[in-house]
Amino acid sequence: MGRAVKDSLASLRPRHSGGRPASEAAERRPAVPPPSEESVVDNAVYADGARLEPESLEQTYELVREHRGMGWIGLYRPDKAAIDSIAAEFGLHELAVEDALEAHQRPKLERYGETLFIVLRPARYVDPIEVVEVGELHVFVGPDFVVTIRHSETPDLRPVRRRLESQPELLRLGPEAVLYAILDKIVDDYSPVLRGLANDLDEIETQVFDGDVEVSRRIYQLGREVIEFRRAVEPLLDLFSSLRSGFGKYDVDLELQRHLRDVEDHTVRVAERLDSFRELLSTMLTLNAAVVGQRQNEEMRRLSEASLTQNEEVKKISAWAAILFAPTLVGTVYGMNFDDMPELHWALGYPFALALMVMVSLTLYGVMKWRRWM
């Protein structure tokens, strides 16, 4: 874990050094507005693995000093007064306090003197709407305190407290054990998210082969969720690397080392599965483009066939129209009532007109057959 935390855990001294009385130390703290208790979701002091129940933040500070124990304060979207009170008591750096007040921080681990400031991004899968929600959790870890600040509904840290309180030997390891348990909880909560994403991928695969026109939008949406989820997971690998680098130098408890390595292994597996999800989504996007292209080609082929069929029908109609038009033209000429038409008084005029009609029609029929219009 953090170097300063290791050094401090070795002695677990009270926060106000030099033998100064607690009352005198309290007088030297800068004046801050009274803290709001509404944002405090859980507040306890642990001395030798046992839980003490303070009634307020001020009493928490007194119990930490009096029992030389560890204070664990859980906050949910706290106001500035509550954070300022905690910052004044535990000496939190102003830059870390500023980050803690504002959400939308990237996962990171920063060291300010004896205090570690960690930003974590928990996640959950909302099954009714099939969406991944990524939250935000800030953790301050010091020599004798842990402060957790949630800016989202997840994670619920009550099971973490109950687990540690049921294992006093683990709780006696101090703030580092709490940090381990929080990391373990967040990484464990990634598993249901992976299952939800895997189920979505199976559904998308079915949609792709069924030719669903809406599948492209879903692929893009799921791709964005996977990328956002990976941004929450990937920085944890560097965080664990930073924590692991101090194992030997700061004599970290062996059992705690094993726990942290186990959580790191789970994180690596989560990151690897997310990489495989991204590759599958890329493959599905390419496959969907191919399927859409094939469908468009088939549609164009069907349209071309329909057009050819229509052209053939138009040709037949046009041919018969031309054949019928020739007799009509002859009949029209012979139907005109002019006195100077010699055919009107010709005895063979009528048979000739009929023969002319038949001859012209047969000639046109033969031409159309030769041109394959009929």
Side-chain angles (χ1 to χ4, degrees), residues 164-226:
L164 289 174
E165 290 171 358
S166 66
Q167 298 176 295
E169 68 283 355
L170 185 59
L171 194 56
R172 289 190 186 96
L173 297 177
E176 286 184 328
V178 176
L179 178 58
Y180 145 71
I182 292 173
L183 290 170
D184 187 43
K185 167 66 174 174
I186 288 178
V187 175
D188 282 348
D189 287 348
Y190 288 159
S191 295
V193 181
L194 291 176
R195 289 194 294 270
L197 291 174
N199 183 66
D200 287 346
L201 284 168
D202 292 339
E203 293 178 357
I204 286 176
E205 184 178 6
T206 302
Q207 287 181 276
V208 168
F209 287 104
D210 288 346
D212 191 339
V213 295
E214 297 293 331
V215 70
S216 295
R217 179 180 302 176
R218 190 175 183 188
I219 291 175
Y220 280 115
Q221 179 182 353
L222 188 61
R224 288 197 302 268
E225 293 177 5
V226 169

Side-chain angles (χ1 to χ4, degrees), residues 311-369:
N311 288 341
E312 293 298 323
E313 295 298 327
V314 170
K315 286 180 181 180
K316 291 180 180 180
I317 294 173
S318 300
W320 283 111
I323 293 172
L324 295 175
F325 175 72
T328 303
L329 179 61
V330 174
T332 301
V333 172
Y334 276 87
M336 292 186 292
N337 299 318
F338 293 107
D339 291 335
D340 294 334
M341 294 182 64
E343 295 86 357
L344 294 177
H345 305 285
W346 184 29
L348 298 178
Y350 182 70
F352 175 78
L354 292 177
L356 182 61
M357 292 180 187
V358 172
M359 183 182 65
V360 171
S361 297
L362 291 175
T363 302
L364 289 174
Y365 180 79
V367 172
M368 298 303 176
K369 270 289 189 180

Side-chain angles (χ1 to χ4, degrees), residues 2 4 9 19 23 39 41 47 95 98 103 128 132 165 237 254 259 300 307 330 333 340:
L9 283 174
S23 59
S39 57
V41 294
L95 293 178
E98 183 180 347
V132 177
E165 290 171 358
L237 301 177
L254 184 59
H259 286 312
M300 290 298 297
S307 179
V330 174
V333 172
D340 294 334

